Amino acid sequence: KVTGVQTCALPILHLLAESKLFDSKGQIRRLIAQGGVRIDGERIDSPELDLASLSPEPHVLKAGKKIFLRILP
């Protein structure tokens, strides 16, 4: 599933929680801790990563095997 998301300065945890694609924030934290979340192919290690720290261009976030989000600046 591919979804376009426009964001400002949200932590990655809150972005994924607001997408309603996961049952809980705990599930998202476990997925991040297990290395299942990537932005443009790079592994995300912290659920508190601020999206404002990314370059101001569209990015692709992959969560698990089947969830893809396009992050728009």
Side-chain angles (χ1 to χ4, degrees):
K1 181 175 183 176
V2 176
T3 305
V5 176
Q6 188 150 8
T7 182
C8 49
L10 287 174
I12 192 88
L13 176 67
H14 296 291
L15 172 74
L16 291 174
E18 287 183 12
S19 72
K20 306 289 185 199
L21 297 171
F22 298 92
D23 295 332
S24 67
K25 287 184 179 179
Q27 181 184 12
I28 298 166
R29 284 187 188 99
R30 281 190 298 277
L31 189 62
I32 291 171
Q34 294 170 359
V37 177
R38 297 179 179 270
I39 294 180
D40 295 333
E42 294 184 31
R43 182 178 167 178
I44 302 303
D45 295 324
S46 171
E48 298 304 319
L49 173 72
D50 191 5
L51 296 175
S53 65
L54 298 175
S55 61
E57 58 188 40
H59 297 280
V60 175
L61 182 144
K62 180 181 177 188
K65 289 184 177 181
K66 299 179 182 177
I67 298 173
F68 292 85
L69 297 171
R70 181 175 293 133
I71 301 173
L72 305 173

